[in-house]
Amino acid sequence: MIANQVKGCGFRGALKYVLDKEHKPEIIGGNMVFRDAQNLANEFGISRELRPSLKKAVYHASLSVPQNERLTNEQWENISEKYLTSMGFIDNQYIAVRHADKDHDHIHIIASRISMNGKVVSDSNDYKRSAQIIKGIEKDYNLTMSAQTPFEAKQMDERSTKKGELQKMIRENSVNSKARLQDIIDTLSIDKKSMELFIEDLENNGIGVRANISKTGYISGISYIYGDIAVKGSDLGKKYSWIGLQKRGLDYDKDRDCETIKSASERSYSHQERKPVTEIEGPTYQEYG
């Protein structure tokens, strides 16, 4: 099982994404009254009013299993509740939604980081805690044990897995890695934001970026570096390409963001010098702009 976590600002945007008909959504758990994005956002406002100064009140987690495994709605409901409770969400508003638009079975959880008594769920060591929780869920439900990325392994005990073995697991698990990349990018691009903030969020989730930048600042394409895997945006699908990101509403201003993207690209090349990167091929779409 693979878990992704993102903290965000807007409930409405996150809810519109997870309940979009394109994803064939089905609400399978939660403690909310309403079932549509607009009213759910207003309902989440009840807890948000308890901490109006908290900028990132939205907790968005996605949990997925490999393509050859499926769970029932009841199992997903129990897993979502167990995952949230173990992450410290005891008295918090949340909704769990199952999607049927991809080959791998997965759910999305939208929760308020503000409990109904006004306390904020800590995000300290949340990647480490999440990885430990997922291992327990995999064992309880007899699921395939997921390979850790170097980013997650650093949060855990780096001595537990030899570097060479870890890289081999990631290469063998490249299909899941591509699906995970898509899920993270989908989640991070929900709220319309500057490209600078989007790249910052990607890096906070262990994803490096590399842009094809001309001397004039014109960008013709983007690639993502995830662990020891590199993949072109267009190989993930049209909406993950450079022009696809902008069609989603991400705002690129050459004067404001060019240096940020150049710096991010340099960091990704520095990563490649330290570790070999495996290029992953996929269905190629021609990328413009």
Side-chain angles (χ1 to χ4, degrees), residues 1-4 62-66 68-71 75-76 78-80 82-83 86 105 128-149 152 156 169 173 176 180:
M1 178 174 283
I2 292 174
N4 299 318
S62 64
L63 309 178
S64 62
V65 293
N68 62 331
E69 296 177 343
R70 290 192 67 81
L71 297 167
Q75 288 174 323
W76 272 127
N78 293 335
I79 287 171
S80 65
K82 179 177 182 178
Y83 181 82
S86 301
D105 193 13
K128 178 178 179 180
R129 288 186 287 123
S130 175
Q132 291 171 334
I133 294 164
I134 291 302
K135 284 186 179 297
I137 292 174
E138 289 170 338
K139 184 177 180 181
D140 291 343
Y141 289 85
N142 195 30
L143 298 169
T144 301
M145 301 296 286
S146 57
Q148 292 179 335
T149 68
E152 293 166 328
M156 299 294 286
M169 283 193 295
N173 201 33
N176 279 343
R180 187 169 189 180

Side-chain angles (χ1 to χ4, degrees), residues 11 27 39 54 67-68 91 124 127 142 163 179 221 231 262 282:
F11 281 106
I27 297 174
N39 284 313
L54 181 67
Q67 292 183 18
N68 62 331
D91 186 25
S124 176
Y127 284 96
N142 195 30
K163 179 179 177 181
V231 59
K262 282 183 180 179

